[in-house]
Amino acid sequence: MTAASATPAADALEARFRRLSAIEGALGVLSWDRLVMMPPGGGDARAEQSATLGVLAHEILTAPEVGDLLEAAAAEPLAGWRAANLREMKRRHAHATALSSALVDAMARASAKSETAWRAARAESSFAGVRGPLGEVLRLTREAASAKAEVLGLEPYAALLDQYEPGGSVARIEGLFAELEAALPPILEAVLERQARAGDPEMPTGPFPVPAQRGLARDIMATLGFDFTHGRLDETLHPFCGGVPDDVRVTTRFSESGFVSGVMGVIHETGHALYERGLPAEWRGLPVGEARGMVLHESQSLLMEMQACRSPEFLAHLSGMARAAFGGDGSAWDPSNLRRIYTHVERGFIRVEADEVTYPLHVILRTRLERALLAGDLAVGDLPGAWNAGMRDLLGVTPPDDTRGCLQDIHWYDGAVGYFPTYTLGALAAAQLFAAATAADPAIVEAIGRGDFTRLLAWLRPNVHGKASSATTDEILTAATGAPLGAGAFLAHLKRRYLDG
Amino acid sequence: MTAASATPAADALEARFRRLSAIEGALGVLSWDRLVMMPPGGGDARAEQSATLGVLAHEILTAPEVGDLLEAAAAEPLAGWRAANLREMKRRHAHATALSSALVDAMARASAKSETAWRAARAESSFAGVRGPLGEVLRLTREAASAKAEVLGLEPYAALLDQYEPGGSVARIEGLFAELEAALPPILEAVLERQARAGDPEMPTGPFPVPAQRGLARDIMATLGFDFTHGRLDETLHPFCGGVPDDVRVTTRFSESGFVSGVMGVIHETGHALYERGLPAEWRGLPVGEARGMVLHESQSLLMEMQACRSPEFLAHLSGMARAAFGGDGSAWDPSNLRRIYTHVERGFIRVEADEVTYPLHVILRTRLERALLAGDLAVGDLPGAWNAGMRDLLGVTPPDDTRGCLQDIHWYDGAVGYFPTYTLGALAAAQLFAAATAADPAIVEAIGRGDFTRLLAWLRPNVHGKASSATTDEILTAATGAPLGAGAFLAHLKRRYLDG
């Protein structure tokens, strides 16, 4: 006979959350299939399947006994990862129970309607058609933010941010963004001057057949450490990384007109995939074993895309791989030219096409606007004007239309407010982590130049991936880099890459 | 305000079964993905996901209130499809509640162990290694059969058969199989003599590149009426038809050595797919809207594969399609030669490779043996000898080893007893339905010869597919053909195709 457990409530909660995790894993596969494999006529049946599993997951998480168990578990002798796991279970339970079913329903419905209106509005470049639906989404988001704020003891915007970046601090974001807003414009100015003097890089000429691009993409993924026995690469209109840690599904898009942006897209998603794959197997199915939040997640994609793979060392290696894949010949394929292509900077309109120097300015604008929209300081109807004024102010350009302005991102129209800051916080974290990794093991960069990412991964696994949700983002960063999240490493990186030498 | 429903119990049950259906649909996608897409390292996570959804589905079906609701619904004013739906809900509930969770668990475990042992035993052609595990599966199957027999008021073998063919009658199977066992050997003898006189057909020579085969397969599927906006074709080792009616997932296997068997495999699975796709949209998610059982399911695959597409008319059409797909030239590609290839008959060892004349003899053997194993009249250790004796008796050949004998089929080793008869009952139903269809609309065959299956489908939709589970198999067959299931049409078909003219 087994001795009675000293932690019966935590045991019961862990079993329940493993069940929840399996349902969420199934939802992940269904979602991947919908985007990658499903024929169009399967949409209604799939929506029914996903909605049913979503309701079951919600019921498991919010059943009355969960609150009692969480209370009982707080008195049990839990230490280490189990204590951290209890904290994460509490957090998930608090988010799930903060909103009434009626509000969750209304938000899902309003977001679906607004997303549809957004697609039409974007196609016609006319904000007017989505103004009403977006207003409704924002009204409900405000209601949800207040409800969560009360439960979590946070201000409303922080309560939304917490959904994507647990423990994320609005004051910290304000400080970091102020620092970036002051530092970036002069850097940008200097980079553009220098770039103008150097003239445009040459573009490699094709053909770039898709099968060759696919082969190159798989080779690069394997080089970075992606394990194809635990994952796949497929093609979709909008690249993403989905699946579960033992079965990571990366997607990308190939354009026959060139390999330049496709390659970096694959590298970006592979960074996400390596994080998921590196989560500790012994915590599978438990909240403590999940990725920490969107800041560290984005740090892992940007560490690969911006820090490691736009380095001169890796671009020299990539030059050889790309030449071999496409039979490329001539100076356009030279490492020095690839370097100019991959570090090209521009005052553009579109966030997702932005370089690493201007990207934070796009994010600062969106964060400013979404906080004003949430607080009611900015009326929905004034969004296009405020957007364009902000672009002039921060980037010095005026979008020619709303499609290239306030209609470019799906986030708000889909009900995601509080997500945008994580892109730039992730970029800062990526620079800080890469600096710490290469300081700890100076041979990492040279190894990357040989296509050997094992040294880099050997540092990331224990310092980032393996921590999963056992500590906060700042605890993980402090342990790994000696300091909480800051802008210093990022700004130093920009100056070194774009202005020195 | 809405008036109170006169059928609150049935309403509640229908909502519950729709939820169950969505979970089962999700399980179908997960299973398809596992066989078609999943990288090998994803197996454990997927097993966890599927097991969790399986438990949830079982809980929904067997919750205590379901029994009460079924009782209450019996007193409600239900007619037409709702009455049929109640009958089906009762049947599913009876099957699910007949077994204790402990027995279901033990069976799942024993089957998994036995299936693994079977794979090894088959590879080594040694029955000894699977004898013990199969004995355990049969012991538990006997226990399950008794439990279900008591609940359903059937004899044990009929209770197992009922899982695959609801309402299937053992006495009917005995009668039909006795008729076939008497009629087939002389037919087989005569066919083989005639075939020997004619000599061997020529085999078309390749190359048969897989992309060309894929294109031909898709063209044939479209010709038969498969709608690619509601389904896909992919490749697996073992072809199957999965998914849900609005998103049917067909798989096949292509061999570079020829197109002959691959084409018929695709046609077979497309027959299954057309049945699923033809189930009435208004009954989606309800038991009444599901396929009637394995007899009608197999009748739809065999109607396409054996009746329609091995007809001289369709083979003439296929000849043109195949020539175009592979640039085929010469008499091997002629309709008359294809006809000889596709109606070749042989006393073989392997059921899945058998022609339509000998196939029922394979099934009769398996049915006889599984009934004896279940009743305890045949000891597991005596299976190889009994198998080989039966093959000599029924087919006049002795398997050279157990791999080509009693180890060839997964069914028993995987816990599926009572399934085998449905293959041959399906073949009989296919012949009976095709005869009725072509009698009702004599232009069907000529249309098929032009690659036009719309007339055939126009008959199958209302007479078979659209009935779903609103009536019994025999009611559907009687309404469609004027008689319950018999062997007459099948035997007449064999004589006409293989001995006349």
Short mmCIF file of all heavy atoms in Angstrom, two decimals, chain B residues 124-172:
data_model
loop_
_atom_site.label_atom_id
_atom_site.label_comp_id
_atom_site.label_asym_id
_atom_site.label_seq_id
_atom_site.Cartn_x
_atom_site.Cartn_y
_atom_site.Cartn_z
N GLU B 124 8.76 -12.30 -37.97
CA GLU B 124 9.54 -13.53 -37.85
C GLU B 124 8.77 -14.76 -38.32
O GLU B 124 9.27 -15.88 -38.23
CB GLU B 124 9.92 -13.76 -36.37
CG GLU B 124 10.77 -12.66 -35.78
CD GLU B 124 10.69 -12.65 -34.25
OE1 GLU B 124 10.20 -13.65 -33.68
OE2 GLU B 124 11.10 -11.65 -33.64
N SER B 125 7.53 -14.55 -38.75
CA SER B 125 6.66 -15.65 -39.13
C SER B 125 6.62 -16.74 -38.07
O SER B 125 6.74 -17.93 -38.36
CB SER B 125 7.09 -16.23 -40.48
OG SER B 125 6.00 -16.95 -41.04
N SER B 126 6.44 -16.30 -36.83
CA SER B 126 6.39 -17.27 -35.74
C SER B 126 5.22 -16.96 -34.83
O SER B 126 5.23 -15.97 -34.08
CB SER B 126 7.71 -17.20 -34.96
OG SER B 126 7.51 -17.70 -33.66
N PHE B 127 4.20 -17.82 -34.87
CA PHE B 127 2.99 -17.59 -34.09
C PHE B 127 3.25 -17.65 -32.59
O PHE B 127 2.56 -16.99 -31.80
CB PHE B 127 1.91 -18.60 -34.49
CG PHE B 127 0.61 -18.44 -33.76
CD1 PHE B 127 -0.25 -17.40 -34.07
CD2 PHE B 127 0.24 -19.32 -32.75
CE1 PHE B 127 -1.45 -17.23 -33.40
CE2 PHE B 127 -0.96 -19.17 -32.07
CZ PHE B 127 -1.81 -18.12 -32.39
N ALA B 128 4.27 -18.44 -32.20
CA ALA B 128 4.52 -18.71 -30.77
C ALA B 128 4.57 -17.42 -29.95
O ALA B 128 3.99 -17.35 -28.86
CB ALA B 128 5.81 -19.50 -30.61
N GLY B 129 5.23 -16.39 -30.48
CA GLY B 129 5.44 -15.17 -29.70
C GLY B 129 4.16 -14.39 -29.41
O GLY B 129 4.13 -13.57 -28.50
N VAL B 130 3.12 -14.62 -30.17
CA VAL B 130 1.89 -13.84 -29.97
C VAL B 130 0.78 -14.70 -29.35
O VAL B 130 -0.29 -14.21 -29.03
CB VAL B 130 1.46 -13.19 -31.31
CG1 VAL B 130 0.89 -14.23 -32.26
CG2 VAL B 130 0.46 -12.05 -31.08
N ARG B 131 1.08 -15.97 -29.17
CA ARG B 131 0.06 -16.89 -28.65
C ARG B 131 -0.46 -16.44 -27.28
O ARG B 131 -1.68 -16.35 -27.07
CB ARG B 131 0.70 -18.28 -28.56
CG ARG B 131 -0.21 -19.35 -28.08
CD ARG B 131 0.52 -20.68 -28.03
NE ARG B 131 -0.15 -21.58 -27.12
CZ ARG B 131 0.10 -22.87 -27.05
NH1 ARG B 131 1.04 -23.42 -27.81
NH2 ARG B 131 -0.56 -23.63 -26.21
N GLY B 132 0.45 -16.14 -26.38
CA GLY B 132 0.03 -15.70 -25.04
C GLY B 132 -0.76 -14.40 -25.07
O GLY B 132 -1.88 -14.34 -24.55
N PRO B 133 -0.21 -13.34 -25.67
CA PRO B 133 -0.94 -12.06 -25.73
C PRO B 133 -2.30 -12.18 -26.43
O PRO B 133 -3.28 -11.57 -25.99
CB PRO B 133 0.00 -11.16 -26.53
CG PRO B 133 1.37 -11.73 -26.28
CD PRO B 133 1.19 -13.21 -26.14
N LEU B 134 -2.38 -13.01 -27.49
CA LEU B 134 -3.67 -13.18 -28.17
C LEU B 134 -4.65 -13.90 -27.24
O LEU B 134 -5.84 -13.56 -27.20
CB LEU B 134 -3.49 -13.94 -29.48
CG LEU B 134 -4.79 -14.30 -30.23
CD1 LEU B 134 -5.57 -13.04 -30.59
CD2 LEU B 134 -4.51 -15.13 -31.48
N GLY B 135 -4.15 -14.89 -26.50
CA GLY B 135 -5.00 -15.60 -25.54
C GLY B 135 -5.62 -14.64 -24.54
O GLY B 135 -6.81 -14.73 -24.22
N GLU B 136 -4.82 -13.69 -24.07
CA GLU B 136 -5.32 -12.72 -23.09
C GLU B 136 -6.37 -11.80 -23.74
O GLU B 136 -7.41 -11.52 -23.14
CB GLU B 136 -4.14 -11.90 -22.55
CG GLU B 136 -4.49 -10.81 -21.56
CD GLU B 136 -5.12 -11.33 -20.26
OE1 GLU B 136 -5.18 -12.56 -20.07
OE2 GLU B 136 -5.58 -10.49 -19.46
N VAL B 137 -6.10 -11.36 -24.97
CA VAL B 137 -7.10 -10.54 -25.67
C VAL B 137 -8.41 -11.31 -25.82
O VAL B 137 -9.50 -10.77 -25.59
CB VAL B 137 -6.57 -10.11 -27.06
CG1 VAL B 137 -7.69 -9.54 -27.92
CG2 VAL B 137 -5.45 -9.08 -26.91
N LEU B 138 -8.31 -12.58 -26.19
CA LEU B 138 -9.52 -13.36 -26.40
C LEU B 138 -10.27 -13.60 -25.09
O LEU B 138 -11.51 -13.58 -25.04
CB LEU B 138 -9.19 -14.69 -27.08
CG LEU B 138 -8.83 -14.56 -28.56
CD1 LEU B 138 -8.25 -15.87 -29.10
CD2 LEU B 138 -10.04 -14.14 -29.39
N ARG B 139 -9.51 -13.80 -24.00
CA ARG B 139 -10.14 -13.98 -22.70
C ARG B 139 -10.98 -12.75 -22.34
O ARG B 139 -12.14 -12.84 -21.94
CB ARG B 139 -9.06 -14.21 -21.64
CG ARG B 139 -9.60 -14.66 -20.28
CD ARG B 139 -8.46 -14.80 -19.26
NE ARG B 139 -7.87 -13.53 -18.88
CZ ARG B 139 -8.45 -12.61 -18.10
NH1 ARG B 139 -9.65 -12.84 -17.60
NH2 ARG B 139 -7.85 -11.48 -17.82
N LEU B 140 -10.38 -11.58 -22.52
CA LEU B 140 -11.09 -10.33 -22.20
C LEU B 140 -12.23 -10.08 -23.18
O LEU B 140 -13.29 -9.56 -22.80
CB LEU B 140 -10.10 -9.16 -22.20
CG LEU B 140 -9.02 -9.22 -21.10
CD1 LEU B 140 -7.90 -8.24 -21.38
CD2 LEU B 140 -9.64 -8.95 -19.74
N THR B 141 -12.01 -10.44 -24.44
CA THR B 141 -13.06 -10.26 -25.44
C THR B 141 -14.27 -11.13 -25.11
O THR B 141 -15.42 -10.71 -25.28
CB THR B 141 -12.53 -10.62 -26.84
OG1 THR B 141 -11.40 -9.80 -27.13
CG2 THR B 141 -13.59 -10.40 -27.91
N ARG B 142 -14.00 -12.33 -24.62
CA ARG B 142 -15.07 -13.23 -24.20
C ARG B 142 -15.87 -12.59 -23.07
O ARG B 142 -17.10 -12.61 -23.06
CB ARG B 142 -14.44 -14.54 -23.74
CG ARG B 142 -15.20 -15.77 -24.19
CD ARG B 142 -14.38 -17.03 -23.89
NE ARG B 142 -13.39 -17.32 -24.91
CZ ARG B 142 -12.11 -17.61 -24.69
NH1 ARG B 142 -11.62 -17.64 -23.45
NH2 ARG B 142 -11.30 -17.86 -25.70
N GLU B 143 -15.14 -12.00 -22.13
CA GLU B 143 -15.79 -11.35 -21.00
C GLU B 143 -16.66 -10.17 -21.49
O GLU B 143 -17.81 -10.00 -21.07
CB GLU B 143 -14.70 -10.84 -20.04
CG GLU B 143 -15.16 -10.58 -18.62
CD GLU B 143 -13.99 -10.11 -17.74
OE1 GLU B 143 -12.89 -10.69 -17.82
OE2 GLU B 143 -14.19 -9.13 -17.00
N ALA B 144 -16.10 -9.38 -22.40
CA ALA B 144 -16.83 -8.24 -22.94
C ALA B 144 -18.04 -8.70 -23.72
O ALA B 144 -19.14 -8.11 -23.63
CB ALA B 144 -15.91 -7.41 -23.83
N ALA B 145 -17.88 -9.76 -24.51
CA ALA B 145 -18.99 -10.27 -25.32
C ALA B 145 -20.13 -10.73 -24.42
O ALA B 145 -21.31 -10.46 -24.71
CB ALA B 145 -18.51 -11.41 -26.22
N SER B 146 -19.80 -11.40 -23.32
CA SER B 146 -20.85 -11.85 -22.39
C SER B 146 -21.58 -10.66 -21.79
O SER B 146 -22.82 -10.65 -21.69
CB SER B 146 -20.25 -12.67 -21.24
OG SER B 146 -19.59 -13.79 -21.75
N ALA B 147 -20.80 -9.66 -21.37
CA ALA B 147 -21.41 -8.49 -20.74
C ALA B 147 -22.34 -7.77 -21.73
O ALA B 147 -23.47 -7.40 -21.39
CB ALA B 147 -20.33 -7.54 -20.24
N LYS B 148 -21.87 -7.59 -22.95
CA LYS B 148 -22.70 -6.92 -23.95
C LYS B 148 -23.89 -7.78 -24.34
O LYS B 148 -24.99 -7.27 -24.59
CB LYS B 148 -21.86 -6.58 -25.20
CG LYS B 148 -20.80 -5.52 -24.91
CD LYS B 148 -20.28 -4.85 -26.18
CE LYS B 148 -19.45 -3.63 -25.78
NZ LYS B 148 -19.07 -2.80 -26.92
N ALA B 149 -23.67 -9.09 -24.41
CA ALA B 149 -24.75 -10.01 -24.77
C ALA B 149 -25.90 -9.87 -23.79
O ALA B 149 -27.08 -9.84 -24.17
CB ALA B 149 -24.23 -11.45 -24.78
N GLU B 150 -25.56 -9.76 -22.50
CA GLU B 150 -26.60 -9.66 -21.48
C GLU B 150 -27.39 -8.36 -21.63
O GLU B 150 -28.62 -8.36 -21.61
CB GLU B 150 -25.95 -9.74 -20.11
CG GLU B 150 -26.96 -10.09 -19.02
CD GLU B 150 -26.27 -10.33 -17.68
OE1 GLU B 150 -25.27 -11.09 -17.65
OE2 GLU B 150 -26.71 -9.72 -16.69
N VAL B 151 -26.66 -7.27 -21.82
CA VAL B 151 -27.33 -5.97 -21.94
C VAL B 151 -28.17 -5.88 -23.21
O VAL B 151 -29.27 -5.33 -23.22
CB VAL B 151 -26.27 -4.83 -21.93
CG1 VAL B 151 -26.90 -3.50 -22.30
CG2 VAL B 151 -25.60 -4.75 -20.57
N LEU B 152 -27.64 -6.42 -24.31
CA LEU B 152 -28.32 -6.27 -25.61
C LEU B 152 -29.31 -7.40 -25.89
O LEU B 152 -30.06 -7.32 -26.88
CB LEU B 152 -27.27 -6.22 -26.73
CG LEU B 152 -26.24 -5.08 -26.65
CD1 LEU B 152 -25.09 -5.31 -27.63
CD2 LEU B 152 -26.90 -3.73 -26.90
N GLY B 153 -29.29 -8.44 -25.07
CA GLY B 153 -30.17 -9.57 -25.33
C GLY B 153 -29.80 -10.34 -26.58
O GLY B 153 -30.65 -10.76 -27.37
N LEU B 154 -28.50 -10.51 -26.78
CA LEU B 154 -28.00 -11.20 -27.97
C LEU B 154 -27.06 -12.32 -27.53
O LEU B 154 -26.62 -12.35 -26.38
CB LEU B 154 -27.20 -10.23 -28.84
CG LEU B 154 -27.95 -9.05 -29.47
CD1 LEU B 154 -26.97 -8.07 -30.07
CD2 LEU B 154 -28.92 -9.55 -30.53
N GLU B 155 -26.73 -13.22 -28.46
CA GLU B 155 -25.67 -14.17 -28.12
C GLU B 155 -24.32 -13.43 -28.22
O GLU B 155 -24.22 -12.38 -28.89
CB GLU B 155 -25.72 -15.40 -29.02
CG GLU B 155 -25.58 -15.08 -30.50
CD GLU B 155 -25.20 -16.32 -31.32
OE1 GLU B 155 -24.19 -16.96 -30.97
OE2 GLU B 155 -25.90 -16.62 -32.30
N PRO B 156 -23.29 -13.96 -27.53
CA PRO B 156 -22.02 -13.21 -27.43
C PRO B 156 -21.44 -12.77 -28.78
O PRO B 156 -21.06 -11.61 -28.94
CB PRO B 156 -21.10 -14.18 -26.71
CG PRO B 156 -22.01 -15.01 -25.86
CD PRO B 156 -23.27 -15.16 -26.67
N TYR B 157 -21.39 -13.68 -29.78
CA TYR B 157 -20.78 -13.27 -31.04
C TYR B 157 -21.61 -12.16 -31.70
O TYR B 157 -21.05 -11.20 -32.26
CB TYR B 157 -20.64 -14.48 -31.99
CG TYR B 157 -19.90 -14.13 -33.27
CD1 TYR B 157 -18.52 -13.93 -33.26
CD2 TYR B 157 -20.58 -13.99 -34.48
CE1 TYR B 157 -17.83 -13.60 -34.42
CE2 TYR B 157 -19.91 -13.65 -35.64
CZ TYR B 157 -18.54 -13.45 -35.61
OH TYR B 157 -17.86 -13.11 -36.77
N ALA B 158 -22.91 -12.27 -31.62
CA ALA B 158 -23.79 -11.24 -32.20
C ALA B 158 -23.58 -9.90 -31.50
O ALA B 158 -23.67 -8.84 -32.14
CB ALA B 158 -25.25 -11.66 -32.09
N ALA B 159 -23.27 -9.94 -30.19
CA ALA B 159 -23.05 -8.69 -29.46
C ALA B 159 -21.78 -8.00 -29.98
O ALA B 159 -21.72 -6.77 -30.05
CB ALA B 159 -22.93 -8.97 -27.96
N LEU B 160 -20.77 -8.79 -30.34
CA LEU B 160 -19.56 -8.19 -30.91
C LEU B 160 -19.82 -7.67 -32.32
O LEU B 160 -19.43 -6.56 -32.68
CB LEU B 160 -18.42 -9.22 -30.94
CG LEU B 160 -17.95 -9.74 -29.56
CD1 LEU B 160 -16.79 -10.72 -29.75
CD2 LEU B 160 -17.53 -8.59 -28.65
N LEU B 161 -20.50 -8.47 -33.11
CA LEU B 161 -20.87 -8.06 -34.48
C LEU B 161 -21.65 -6.75 -34.46
O LEU B 161 -21.45 -5.88 -35.32
CB LEU B 161 -21.72 -9.17 -35.11
CG LEU B 161 -22.34 -8.92 -36.49
CD1 LEU B 161 -21.25 -8.81 -37.56
CD2 LEU B 161 -23.33 -10.02 -36.86
N ASP B 162 -22.51 -6.60 -33.47
CA ASP B 162 -23.36 -5.41 -33.37
C ASP B 162 -22.55 -4.11 -33.23
O ASP B 162 -23.03 -3.04 -33.57
CB ASP B 162 -24.30 -5.56 -32.16
CG ASP B 162 -25.43 -4.54 -32.17
OD1 ASP B 162 -26.41 -4.74 -32.91
OD2 ASP B 162 -25.31 -3.51 -31.46
N GLN B 163 -21.30 -4.23 -32.74
CA GLN B 163 -20.45 -3.05 -32.64
C GLN B 163 -20.12 -2.49 -34.02
O GLN B 163 -19.90 -1.29 -34.19
CB GLN B 163 -19.12 -3.41 -31.97
CG GLN B 163 -19.26 -3.94 -30.56
CD GLN B 163 -17.95 -4.49 -30.03
OE1 GLN B 163 -17.20 -5.14 -30.75
NE2 GLN B 163 -17.68 -4.21 -28.78
N TYR B 164 -20.03 -3.40 -35.00
CA TYR B 164 -19.62 -2.99 -36.35
C TYR B 164 -20.81 -2.92 -37.30
O TYR B 164 -20.86 -2.10 -38.20
CB TYR B 164 -18.58 -3.97 -36.89
CG TYR B 164 -17.45 -4.20 -35.91
CD1 TYR B 164 -17.28 -5.42 -35.25
CD2 TYR B 164 -16.56 -3.16 -35.60
CE1 TYR B 164 -16.26 -5.61 -34.33
CE2 TYR B 164 -15.54 -3.35 -34.69
CZ TYR B 164 -15.39 -4.58 -34.05
OH TYR B 164 -14.38 -4.76 -33.15
N GLU B 165 -21.75 -3.84 -37.08
CA GLU B 165 -22.93 -3.90 -37.93
C GLU B 165 -24.16 -3.97 -37.03
O GLU B 165 -24.59 -5.07 -36.64
CB GLU B 165 -22.84 -5.11 -38.86
CG GLU B 165 -24.07 -5.34 -39.73
CD GLU B 165 -24.46 -4.15 -40.59
OE1 GLU B 165 -23.65 -3.21 -40.76
OE2 GLU B 165 -25.60 -4.13 -41.08
N PRO B 166 -24.70 -2.80 -36.66
CA PRO B 166 -25.83 -2.79 -35.74
C PRO B 166 -26.98 -3.65 -36.27
O PRO B 166 -27.38 -3.51 -37.43
CB PRO B 166 -26.22 -1.32 -35.69
CG PRO B 166 -24.94 -0.60 -35.98
CD PRO B 166 -24.24 -1.45 -36.99
N GLY B 167 -27.47 -4.53 -35.42
CA GLY B 167 -28.57 -5.40 -35.82
C GLY B 167 -28.17 -6.58 -36.68
O GLY B 167 -29.03 -7.33 -37.15
N GLY B 168 -26.87 -6.74 -36.92
CA GLY B 168 -26.40 -7.86 -37.76
C GLY B 168 -26.83 -9.20 -37.17
O GLY B 168 -26.75 -9.40 -35.97
N SER B 169 -27.29 -10.10 -38.03
CA SER B 169 -27.82 -11.37 -37.54
C SER B 169 -26.85 -12.51 -37.84
O SER B 169 -26.44 -12.72 -38.99
CB SER B 169 -29.18 -11.64 -38.21
OG SER B 169 -29.40 -13.03 -38.34
N VAL B 170 -26.55 -13.29 -36.79
CA VAL B 170 -25.64 -14.42 -36.97
C VAL B 170 -26.29 -15.51 -37.81
O VAL B 170 -25.64 -16.13 -38.67
CB VAL B 170 -25.19 -14.96 -35.59
CG1 VAL B 170 -24.32 -16.19 -35.77
CG2 VAL B 170 -24.43 -13.88 -34.83
N ALA B 171 -27.60 -15.72 -37.61
CA ALA B 171 -28.29 -16.75 -38.39
C ALA B 171 -28.26 -16.38 -39.88
O ALA B 171 -28.04 -17.23 -40.75
CB ALA B 171 -29.73 -16.88 -37.91
N ARG B 172 -28.45 -15.10 -40.17
CA ARG B 172 -28.40 -14.65 -41.56
C ARG B 172 -27.00 -14.89 -42.15
O ARG B 172 -26.86 -15.37 -43.28
CB ARG B 172 -28.74 -13.16 -41.65
CG ARG B 172 -28.63 -12.56 -43.05
CD ARG B 172 -29.82 -12.91 -43.91
NE ARG B 172 -30.98 -12.23 -43.38
CZ ARG B 172 -31.25 -10.94 -43.61
NH1 ARG B 172 -30.51 -10.25 -44.44
NH2 ARG B 172 -32.29 -10.37 -43.07
#
